[in-house]
């Protein structure tokens, strides 16, 4: 019997090694990758609280206040550098001054590169310092590096500021250990403490700004949600009022239509049939209204379980509109088959709305309904003739919501629809509903 031992695959490294590798990647990303990229300092925001209090003629110039502050800080570093140079030639004093002011001014356009130049200029300027007991930062380099680190921290993220402070500490402590034995005092500690305090103030500023931005974003979202909730409440109120008012009037119409034949002695059958049709339509409309708008009456409202109409109920719809006085014919082509419920309901509603438009806008005109079961979908075509000139019923104007509702149904099913007048003076609605796409979505 042979026993096989499975050795686990080697790990990429210990957690300490992984942490160090992650830290080095952060260092390369923050301070080494594209370090001298051109990043100009943007103008100040004119919407700030301080800028808004300035006079109008000074408000535009206040946009350049950050740039002026950096230039003033660079001049201050240059002034400090002149007080710490040796009594050498003027060219050395000029070089010392340029090494103090140059990195500060460079933060306006290349902030990360300015940090590296300031750090590299520190060992050069210390050789020309007058106070040889101060090591490893000369007075000009001390002021320059403090300003550069602060400005760069203001323009970058906190992790970059931490890396700058760490590299500054490495240089300072390394210079003290390797080359600082012959000097009386080291100013590495004061620089690191002052720099840490400056970076702490910058971090607090960043935190406050981010918190202010988050609060502003939350307030914007809250205001939007409050506005949306108010709009929904208004729509709910309108829907409730519409339900109450229309339901009341439709109930009155149904009752009056039922009672009207009894108020006439020996009414003709046509009149009784007309009033019966009016009552049936009023009751059907009232039921539909309660089903659709009743949901806004209460949160625990449950819609009735009555089945939704389909294309199988199309004959009943056509009989209904015929009783209302519309002459309509129906033509079905293709193999009749069962379609998805959404397609069946939308097709029924589209035909219903198209015939209702015919009754409203072209009373007395004849209409044709064509249903085509084709490969991959369902085709509908509802077309009406022009309204006869001798019609006693005038067309009723509408807001055009019927066509909009039909388009919304067609768009929901990824279909196509065209609607417009015909060459003969009538109106045509043509719709194609893709059945295969709907089945894929429902699956």
């Amino acid at each position: 019997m042979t026993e096989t031992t499975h050795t686990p695959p080697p790990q990429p490294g210990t957690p300490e090694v992984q942490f160090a590798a992650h830290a080095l990647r952060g260092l390369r990303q923050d301070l080494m990758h594209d370090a001298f990229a051109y990043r100009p300092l943007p103008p100040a925001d004119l919407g700030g609280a301080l800028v808004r209090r300035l006079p109008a003629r000074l408000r535009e110039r206040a946009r350049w206040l950050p740039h002026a502050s950096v230039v003033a800080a660079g001049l201050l570093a240059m002034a400090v550098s002149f007080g710490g140079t040796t009594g050498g030639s003027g060219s050395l004093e000029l070089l010392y001054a340029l090494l103090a002011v140059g990195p500060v001014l460079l933060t306006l356009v290349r902030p990360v590169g300015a940090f590296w130049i300031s750090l590299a200029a520190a060992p050069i300027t210390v050789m020309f310092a007058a106070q040889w007991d101060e090591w490893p930062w000369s007075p000009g380099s001390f002021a320059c590096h403090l300003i550069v680190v602060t400005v760069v921290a203001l323009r970058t993220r906190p992790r970059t500021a931490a890396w700058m402070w760490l590299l500054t500490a490495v240089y300072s402590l390394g210079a003290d250990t390797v080359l600082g034995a012959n000097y009386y005092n080291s100013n590495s500690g004061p620089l690191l403490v002052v720099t840490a305090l400056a970076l702490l103030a910058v971090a607090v500023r960043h935190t406050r700004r981010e918190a202010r931005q988050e609060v502003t974003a939350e307030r914007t979202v809250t205001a939007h949600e409050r506005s949306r909730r108010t709009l929904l409440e208004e729509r709910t109120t309108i829907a409730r009022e519409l339900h109450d008012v229309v339901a009341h009037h439709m109930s009155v119409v149904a009752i009056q239509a039922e009672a009207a034949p009894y108020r006439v002695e020996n009414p003709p059958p046509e009149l009784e049939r007309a009033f019966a049709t009016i009552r049936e339509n009023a009751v059907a409309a009232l039921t539909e209204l309660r089903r659709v708008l009743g949901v806004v009456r209460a949160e625990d409202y449950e819609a009735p379980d009555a089945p939704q109409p389909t294309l199988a109920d199309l004959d009943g719809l056509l009989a209904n509109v015929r009783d209302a006085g519309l002459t309509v014919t129906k033509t079905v082509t293709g193999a009749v088959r069962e379609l998805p419920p959404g397609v069946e309901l939308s097709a029924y509603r589209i035909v219903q709305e198209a015939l209702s438009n015919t009754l409203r806008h072209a009373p007395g005109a004849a209409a044709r309904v064509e249903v085509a079961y084709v490969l991959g979908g369902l085709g509908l075509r509802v077309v009406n003739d022009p309204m006869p000139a001798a019609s006693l019923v005038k067309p009723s104007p509408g807001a055009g919501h019927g066509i909009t509702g039909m388009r919304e149904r067609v768009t929901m099913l990824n279909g196509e629809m065209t609607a417009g007048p015909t060459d003969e003076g009538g109106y045509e609605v043509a719709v194609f509903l893709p059945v295969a796409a709907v089945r894929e979505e429902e699956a």
Side-chain angles (χ1 to χ4, degrees):
M1 179 176 180
T2 304
E3 181 179 354
T4 304
T5 303
H6 296 280
T7 304
Q11 298 296 327
T14 62
E16 292 80 5
V17 174
Q18 295 178 5
F19 177 79
H22 179 72
L24 291 177
R25 284 196 299 269
L27 173 62
R28 289 195 299 267
Q29 181 180 0
D30 292 339
L31 291 178
M32 295 182 180
H33 178 69
D34 209 7
F36 287 87
Y38 182 70
R39 300 184 182 96
L41 179 64
D45 184 14
L46 297 180
L50 181 61
V51 178
R52 287 198 303 266
R53 297 172 182 169
L54 296 176
R57 57 193 183 93
L58 297 179
R59 198 171 301 159
E60 184 65 25
R61 298 180 181 178
R63 299 174 65 248
W64 308 107
L65 184 60
H67 303 75
S69 301
V70 173
V71 173
L75 295 177
L76 176 62
M78 185 174 62
V80 173
S81 69
F82 278 122
T85 55
T86 61
S89 62
S91 59
L92 292 179
E93 295 180 357
L94 179 60
L95 175 63
Y96 189 73
L98 292 177
L99 290 177
V101 70
V104 178
L105 298 181
L106 191 61
T107 58
L108 295 173
V109 289
R110 306 183 192 276
V112 178
F115 165 77
W116 287 113
I117 292 179
S118 176
L119 191 64
I124 299 176
T125 55
V126 76
M127 295 188 310
F128 305 103
Q131 292 87 359
W132 287 93
D133 57 342
E134 295 182 359
W135 176 269
W137 299 93
S138 64
S141 182
F142 190 103
C144 171
H145 198 71
L146 175 61
I147 296 171
V148 166
V149 170
T150 304
V151 174
V152 176
L154 286 171
R155 300 196 56 192
T156 54
R157 53 183 175 176
R159 191 177 73 175
T160 305
W163 278 120
M164 290 190 299
W165 188 89
L166 182 61
L167 291 177
T168 301
V170 169
Y171 163 74
S172 301
L173 299 179
D176 287 340
T177 303
V178 178
L179 302 175
N182 297 328
Y183 297 94
Y184 297 103
N185 297 320
S186 171
N187 54 4
S188 297
L191 175 65
L192 294 178
V193 171
V194 175
T195 305
L197 293 177
L199 295 182
L200 179 61
V202 172
V204 171
R205 180 180 181 274
H206 280 313
T207 303
R208 289 189 58 187
R209 184 175 61 182
E210 292 177 358
R212 190 181 300 112
Q213 291 175 352
E214 291 179 359
V215 170
T216 303
E218 288 294 333
R219 288 178 178 176
T220 302
V221 173
T222 303
H224 177 72
E225 291 296 330
R226 186 183 299 112
S227 175
R228 185 173 178 270
R229 184 169 61 250
T230 303
L231 178 61
L232 292 177
E233 291 175 355
E234 292 178 356
R235 289 181 176 179
T236 302
T237 302
I238 294 173
R240 288 176 177 176
E241 294 175 353
L242 177 65
H243 177 271
D244 296 340
V245 173
V246 177
H248 169 73
H249 288 288
M250 293 302 295
S251 300
V252 172
V253 170
I255 294 173
Q256 290 180 346
E258 184 177 8
Y262 299 99
R263 298 181 180 180
V264 180
E265 186 178 357
N266 299 322
E270 294 81 4
L271 183 61
E272 291 182 351
R273 188 164 54 252
F275 278 118
T277 301
I278 293 174
R279 182 183 181 280
E280 291 175 0
N281 283 316
V283 173
L286 185 60
T287 303
E288 187 73 10
L289 178 68
R290 286 173 176 170
R291 186 183 67 83
V292 175
L293 297 181
V295 70
V296 302
R297 299 293 298 175
E299 295 181 358
D300 56 350
Y301 175 83
E302 294 183 1
D305 297 330
Q308 296 287 354
T310 63
L311 289 176
D313 303 315
L314 203 56
D315 291 335
L317 174 64
L318 299 183
N320 195 325
V321 296
R322 289 191 187 103
D323 292 337
L326 177 64
T327 302
V328 58
T329 58
K330 183 184 76 168
T331 303
V332 179
T333 59
V336 178
R337 63 185 185 276
E338 184 179 357
L339 301 177
V343 176
E344 294 270 356
L345 175 61
S346 296
Y348 181 90
R349 294 301 188 195
I350 290 171
V351 174
Q352 182 183 41
E353 186 61 37
L355 295 177
S356 299
N357 288 343
T358 302
L359 286 171
R360 285 194 301 266
H361 302 294
R368 300 183 302 277
V369 176
E370 300 176 3
V371 182
Y373 291 85
V374 297
L375 182 63
L378 175 71
L380 296 174
R381 182 173 180 266
V382 181
V383 57
N384 62 268
D385 297 334
M387 184 181 66
S391 177
L392 299 178
V393 182
K394 295 183 179 180
S396 59
H401 293 164
I403 297 295
T404 302
M406 286 188 283
R407 291 192 185 278
E408 289 177 351
R409 290 182 179 274
V410 173
T411 303
M412 180 181 63
L413 297 174
N414 297 324
E416 298 178 0
M417 171 181 166
T418 59
T422 61
D423 297 336
E424 292 80 11
Y427 201 85
E428 179 187 28
V429 175
V431 173
F432 175 75
L433 301 178
V435 174
V438 174
R439 285 178 178 171
E440 290 176 2
E441 291 177 1
E442 292 179 349

